[in-house]
Amino acid sequence: MKRIFYAYLLILLLFPTISYGKGILRDAEIERTLKIITLPLLENTKIDQQNFKVLVINDSSMNAFVTSGQYIFIHYGLINKMETVEQLQSVIAHEIGHITGGHYIQRTSDIESARTLAGIGMILSAAAGLVSGDSNIAIGLAAGSQSASKRNFLKHSRTQEASADQAGIKLMAAANINPHAALEVLEIFKGQELLTAKRQDPYIQTHPLNSQRISSIQKSLKTLNFKKNEKDKNIDYMYNRMRAKFKGFTEKPFRALQTTNIKKNDELNLYTRAIAYHRLPDLNLAQKEINKLLELKPNDPYYNELKAQFLLETGNPNEAIKYYNRALELEPNELLFNVGLSRALNSIGKYKSTIKILKNIYDKDPRNGRLLRELAIAYSQNGELGWASLLTAERYALYGKFNDALFHAKRAQSILVPGTIAWLKVEDLILEIESINK
Ligand SMILES: [Zn+2]
């Protein structure tokens, strides 16, 4: 038993930060913002608002797609490219149109698992293949069939595009959001249909563009009634904050700093700069900027969270814990704050606290690679190796690394007591992976 334990520890130590490529970006503030800008668009649909999520993929190219009635995936590159919140809402409304039209069903009929961990991993690896232009990567797994269909895995037909366009602009008008933004988005991509596939944005490959689409949207816009609401300042503010945050985290720090007004001490500039300095890394300047933000808004949960992250990543876990707790005090419903907190707790050896905090969240939100990692570390250090292996297997599955996932799942299976919850979960995961690998 002890030998297995140390072997396991060694694995965790050897690969502390395995790179998964195109993963899902999990961030409390960004998910909340996306939820708030999406809710009005769901009002007139039968979609279950509680479980619906817009998830951001860590990818600088432009794409957005649906895989089930529950998720919309958007590359951060697309969010960065949109010029207004209405444009982003029109992209989301169009995807909702694909959902309400049931367009994902044909594609996923032989992949029951589009909503499971392995299913999401499979779809992400399929999307990555599409992005890199290498249709052989993983898409074979996804489509479970011959080469011709690989490339088309996430691709919609012209008819589906037209119907999602119409549904999208209607949802926007019904929510009194200017539907002309849909046209502006197509203008951004216009001209790309003439490029070779390699040079196109993946968005054009998944949502084929043609002049007819534009003209039929133009036609419908003339007949649509919608009230021009006064612009919602709060939504605009949240949207701009999200963009400032993305800029800090996704652009090269030098570039982010160059294109941010150094003299201006308004909130958004400070936000981008704080993050860019932290990544540079210039720890002093990062601290200065985040402290200015906290002076402006001491009760902002997300600024407290960011301060905690800076402290943790610069080797100050005890101080970090204070700020994570403060963030949770301000916004107790932000489950994702607990993941950061657990990372800090793990780093000072408080594994039992991590288990206590993350066990509940794991049931509510199992699609978080970092959560799976921190909880696996805590279990492993606490001697619960079966659970540790199960969570590690799930993390690999989430990112489409099915061979590694299977390896850890089999290990978990050999350790766990048959019939227990964890053992049943492992059984399910193995079946799922084997059906995908077939
Ligand atoms: Zn589409």
Side-chain angles (χ1 to χ4, degrees):
M1 192 66 193
K2 222 171 183 162
R3 243 175 64 202
I4 302 173
F5 177 69
Y6 286 117
Y8 194 82
L9 246 189
L10 192 68
I11 286 173
L12 282 178
L13 289 174
L14 280 176
F15 305 100
T17 46
I18 298 162
S19 160
Y20 291 107
K22 320 277 181 196
I24 302 173
L25 285 174
R26 301 299 310 268
D27 179 87
E29 180 183 11
I30 285 164
E31 287 182 15
R32 176 166 167 270
T33 302
L34 289 171
K35 183 158 203 153
I36 286 175
I37 69 176
T38 303
L39 278 180
L41 299 167
L42 296 175
E43 284 297 324
N44 293 295
T45 69
K46 289 183 183 141
I47 292 171
D48 170 14
Q49 299 188 7
Q50 270 299 318
N51 293 310
F52 186 79
K53 242 187 172 52
V54 179
L55 289 170
V56 180
I57 298 182
N58 186 10
D59 192 312
S60 62
S61 69
M62 285 193 270
N63 205 358
F65 52 91
V66 291
T67 58
S68 70
Q70 207 180 350
Y71 301 114
I72 291 175
F73 293 95
I74 299 191
H75 291 187
Y76 79 75
L78 188 136
I79 297 178
N80 282 354
K81 185 81 180 186
M82 297 296 106
E83 287 148 5
T84 62
V85 67
E86 290 81 6
Q87 288 181 2
L88 179 57
Q89 283 173 312
S90 90
V91 169
I92 293 173
H94 176 95
E95 293 308 312
I96 295 174
H98 281 308
I99 292 177
T100 54
H103 303 162
Y104 60 89
I105 291 170
Q106 292 135 282
R107 276 183 285 129
T108 48
S109 59
D110 44 27
I111 320 156
E112 268 291 306
S113 48
R115 56 176 63 217
T116 65
L117 282 167
I120 288 175
M122 174 185 70
I123 279 144
L124 287 183
S125 45
L130 192 69
V131 168
S132 67
D134 179 355
S135 54
N136 288 319
I137 299 178
I139 300 193
L141 290 176
S145 54
Q146 306 314 311
S147 53
S149 61
K150 284 177 188 172
R151 216 180 166 76
N152 295 327
F153 178 58
L154 292 165
K155 189 173 180 170
H156 291 292
S157 69
R158 281 176 174 224
T159 325
Q160 288 175 334
E161 280 314 293
S163 111
D165 281 340
Q166 294 301 323
I169 56 175
K170 276 184 196 141
L171 288 174
M172 289 189 69
N176 288 322
I177 301 165
N178 191 346
H180 286 89
L183 220 46
E184 295 166 16
V185 170
L186 289 189
E187 290 293 330
I188 291 175
F189 291 104
K190 209 173 136 188
Q192 286 208 18
E193 70 268 33
L194 301 171
L195 301 174
T196 56
K198 255 206 167 121
R199 296 182 56 209
Q200 284 174 339
D201 277 307
Y203 189 76
I204 294 298
Q205 294 172 28
T206 49
H207 306 264
L209 182 64
N210 53 66
S211 47
Q212 215 172 2
R213 264 183 82 187
I214 294 182
S215 61
S216 58
I217 292 179
Q218 275 167 336
K219 217 154 125 200
S220 305
L221 283 175
K222 282 184 195 138
T223 64
L224 268 182
N225 279 321
F226 75 100
K227 255 202 345 253
K228 258 197 185 151
N229 264 6
E230 190 137 313
K231 227 168 174 315
D232 185 333
K233 287 207 175 106
N234 189 43
I235 281 197
D236 256 352
Y237 167 71
M238 293 179 73
Y239 170 74
N240 287 325
R241 252 180 82 154
M242 173 170 76
R243 288 175 47 103
K245 193 170 200 177
F246 269 132
K247 187 171 176 183
F249 273 116
T250 62
E251 271 186 20
K252 291 206 168 84
F254 266 121
R255 190 160 160 71
L257 289 166
Q258 258 171 12
T259 53
T260 307
N261 195 333
I262 297 284
K263 287 189 193 124
K264 274 198 177 161
N265 276 333
D266 66 279
E267 216 184 325
L268 298 182
N269 274 304
L270 283 172
Y271 206 10
T272 303
R273 285 208 305 264
I275 299 165
Y277 280 133
H278 177 70
R279 292 176 60 227
L280 206 50
D282 187 325
L283 309 182
N284 278 336
L285 284 176
Q287 280 299 338
K288 254 190 202 155
E289 304 297 55
I290 185 67
N291 288 344
K292 279 186 211 156
L293 276 175
L294 281 168
E295 261 168 48
L296 282 176
K297 299 219 161 140
N299 295 329
D300 187 295
Y302 307 101
Y303 293 155
N304 278 281
E305 183 206 21
L306 189 67
K307 168 105 178 172
Q309 186 188 337
F310 287 2
L311 286 164
L312 176 61
E313 289 173 359
T314 51
N316 204 338
N318 287 307
E319 277 297 299
I321 288 170
K322 285 185 202 159
Y323 281 90
Y324 278 125
N325 282 327
R326 176 80 185 123
L328 276 163
E329 232 172 76
L330 293 163
E331 195 53 76
N333 294 323
E334 275 305 0
L335 300 184
L336 291 176
F337 288 168
N338 289 292
V339 181
L341 174 61
S342 302
R343 216 174 131 205
L345 289 167
N346 272 352
S347 74
I348 54 168
K350 294 202 166 173
Y351 305 114
K352 287 204 169 112
S353 305
T354 291
I355 294 173
K356 203 171 149 203
I357 293 169
L358 291 189
K359 220 163 69 181
N360 285 321
I361 304 173
Y362 164 68
D363 287 332
K364 289 181 197 146
D365 181 14
R367 290 161 209 92
N368 185 323
R370 184 149 258 165
L371 181 153
L372 294 170
R373 177 164 187 268
E374 297 305 327
L375 192 52
I377 290 172
Y379 272 129
S380 140
Q381 296 285 7
N382 205 39
E384 297 174 69
L385 302 179
W387 268 102
S389 294
L390 164 62
L391 296 169
T392 307
E394 289 189 339
R395 183 161 52 101
Y396 278 113
L398 179 62
Y399 290 100
K401 304 251 170 185
F402 298 118
N403 288 337
D404 297 311
L406 203 57
F407 172 81
H408 288 278
K410 293 244 158 101
R411 175 189 295 237
Q413 196 181 35
S414 71
I415 302 171
L416 290 161
V417 178
T420 55
I421 292 175
W423 185 84
L424 291 169
K425 272 174 165 300
V426 147
E427 289 269 282
D428 283 349
L429 186 62
I430 289 174
L431 279 177
E432 218 185 280
I433 296 169
E434 281 173 347
S435 80
I436 286 172
N437 266 344
K438 235 187 288 174

